[in-house]
Structure formats: C-alpha cells, structure tokens
Amino acid sequence: MSDQAKLLGGLRVLVPRGGIWGDLVSQALRDRGAQTVIAPLVDFSHTSEEDKLVEALKDLEAGEFDWMTATSATVADVLKHHNATFHERTKVAIVGEATAVAFREAGYPVTLTPDEDNNTTFQLLKEWTEIDSGEVLRVLTLRSDVATPVLTTGLIERGHDVTQVLAFRTIGVPASVHIREDIDSGRINAILVASAKIAEEVRKQFPQLPADTLVVCVGESTVAAAEELELAGAGGDRQAEVDAIIEAVESAIDHSDMLD
C-alpha cells in the first residue's frame, strides 16, 4: 500500500458533486485509501440566456462556427438536453478530464484538449495554434454563470469573433437528513470544497461543523471564497491529510472543472 493510501486509509470524505466529476474524484480518493460519500451540494439549472443558447445551437448545427469550446462536463448534458448537433466543419476544443469523458460518452467530437499533464484553460490557449494564425475565427464558448471566462477573454483579446453563452446556472442543493446527521456526528471526516459556490453551500448548510472535520478547499478562488465566508477546517498536524486529498483531486480533475 502506498504512503498516500495509508495516509487516507479509513478517512470518510464527502464529495459534493455527482455525475462524471464525482465518479472521477471519488475513484482518485479511493485509490489512496479514503472512503467517499457522494452528496451533491450543487446542481445545474436552465440558463437565464435560454433563447440565446437555442439560437447559438441552431448556428452550431448550421456550421456557422469554426470552433466550439467547453470547460465543464455539464456542457455535454446541456447539449444532449437540447438534442444539439455538430456540423462536420466545426471543431471542438475542451478543457478538463471530466469534460473529455462526458463529451466522448455523449458521442460528441473532441478535436483539441490540452496535454494531460497540464490540462488547463491557459495551456489550451498556448497549444491552440489556430488562434494565433492571423485568421479571425468564429467561436462559440459555452460556460456556467459562475465560471471565470478565461478562455472567452483570451480569444477576444486575440481578435476572434466570439459568441459567449451562459449555458447553465449553478444552484445549491440541500443535503439529505442522513448526510447532515453524519456531518454533525463527525462520521464524515472531511468535506471537499471544489468551488466558491460549494463553499457557500457548506457554510449555509453546515453552520456548526465539528471542530475536527477537515474542510479541504481546492483551487485559489475556492480558498479565497472560503476565507471570505470564514469557512475553516482543522489544520495543524492534519495538513498532510489535506495535502493528500488535494493531490488526489487534482490528479483527476483540472481546476477549470471546479469553477461550476
């Protein structure tokens, strides 16, 4: 058994999202000896830009876009919900392992994804040679209402014709009574906080966490949000456990997948 598996052995970790994201993260944690409890604290709802999305998907089917981008696995769910069809001329650039898995399972094309060792939005902008060729490309970017538009901004700064659409909204989901009881009693040893929205839900839904419950934040924006909410977990001599959980999550999921 590896040192990481020994370190997380027996630790029960709450994974706050389901679907492909939750499965990938849970597997990475279990590989290191943790027990996982998938209990979604966020879900995804219809966008406030539904009409704009419908029109953009019609243009996508008609081949009006040179490229489409996605940085969240949920985009694949949105496309399936709308029975979206890709024109053969349109290429697809995506970020995040969960996004790649979701697109391929849905039968959607994936033209470009960053190097697996650095699967980030910034890396995509570096590897995407077509966007620096001098040709103005027409690009559709689909994202969450709470995601930072790094990719959209990068494309606009390079002079491309970008149609950006908020494809879905991220909303809070109440935890079950069973989960709340497990947290209150300390039977869940650690809570994974993988986005600012999840930090908000943890603070709201579990206002009196046991003193020894680890709150493990992944990503700089998540840490900043947790600090602003005064959401803190046990630290000190348990920092090694925190680091091992963060490493496990980052090995499975890119930060861009955690912005929803």
Side-chain angles (χ1 to χ4, degrees):
M1 182 179 289
S2 69
D3 291 340
Q4 284 181 321
K6 291 177 182 177
L7 187 58
L8 297 183
L11 200 71
R12 295 188 76 215
V13 182
L14 186 145
V15 177
R17 281 176 57 181
I20 292 172
W21 193 99
D23 290 342
L24 290 172
V25 168
S26 292
Q27 186 60 56
L29 289 167
R30 291 195 298 270
D31 287 346
R32 290 158 174 79
Q35 300 174 27
T36 59
V37 178
I38 297 179
L41 301 180
V42 294
D43 203 347
F44 308 99
S45 184
H46 287 296
T47 174
S48 58
E49 298 185 350
E50 192 71 15
D51 291 343
K52 184 178 179 180
L53 174 62
V54 169
E55 287 303 311
L57 295 180
K58 288 180 181 177
D59 288 343
L60 180 68
E61 183 175 359
E64 295 294 325
F65 297 107
D66 300 301
W67 287 81
M68 193 208 82
T69 71
T71 59
S72 167
T74 306
V75 171
D77 294 329
V78 172
L79 293 171
K80 285 192 294 184
H81 175 76
H82 286 275
N83 296 315
T85 301
F86 286 80
H87 193 280
E88 60 182 12
R89 73 174 297 273
T90 304
K91 299 177 181 178
V92 180
I94 62 173
V95 176
E97 181 59 27
T99 316
V101 172
F103 265 66
R104 288 171 179 139
E105 287 191 355
Y108 293 132
V110 176
T111 310
L112 176 64
T113 189
D115 182 278
E116 63 181 14
D117 293 327
N118 190 12
N119 198 337
T120 66
T121 304
F122 294 104
Q123 186 64 22
L124 174 62
L125 289 170
K126 289 181 181 179
E127 294 184 17
W128 194 350
T129 56
E130 288 89 345
I131 63 176
D132 294 316
S133 66
E135 177 188 359
V136 176
L137 300 174
R138 190 168 185 203
V139 185
L140 172 63
T141 62
L142 301 179
R143 61 183 178 86
S144 162
D145 62 326
V146 297
T148 304
V150 173
L151 194 53
T152 299
T153 300
L155 291 167
I156 292 174
E157 288 176 346
R158 288 165 171 81
H160 297 293
D161 180 3
V162 180
T163 298
Q164 54 178 316
V165 182
L166 302 182
F168 57 94
R169 291 182 297 118
T170 305
I171 59 174
V173 176
S176 69
V177 172
H178 177 71
I179 292 297
R180 292 201 301 272
E181 289 176 346
D182 276 359
I183 288 176
D184 290 344
S185 67
R187 286 193 290 271
I188 288 178
N189 312 114
I191 301 175
L192 174 61
V193 180
S195 72
K197 181 62 178 177
I198 291 171
E200 291 176 12
E201 291 302 315
V202 170
R203 188 74 176 102
K204 179 173 67 176
Q205 296 192 43
F206 316 121
Q208 295 181 322
L209 291 172
D212 60 351
T213 299
L214 291 175
V215 177
V216 182
C217 298
V218 184
E220 293 180 6
S221 61
T222 305
V223 171
E227 290 176 349
E228 187 173 338
L229 292 166
E230 298 182 350
L231 179 65
D237 60 353
R238 303 192 67 187
Q239 189 60 45
E241 290 177 316
V242 172
D243 291 343
I245 292 172
I246 292 174
E247 194 281 331
V249 175
E250 291 182 340
S251 73
I253 297 293
D254 172 63
H255 284 171
S256 62
D257 272 328
M258 294 184 250
L259 293 173
D260 308 329

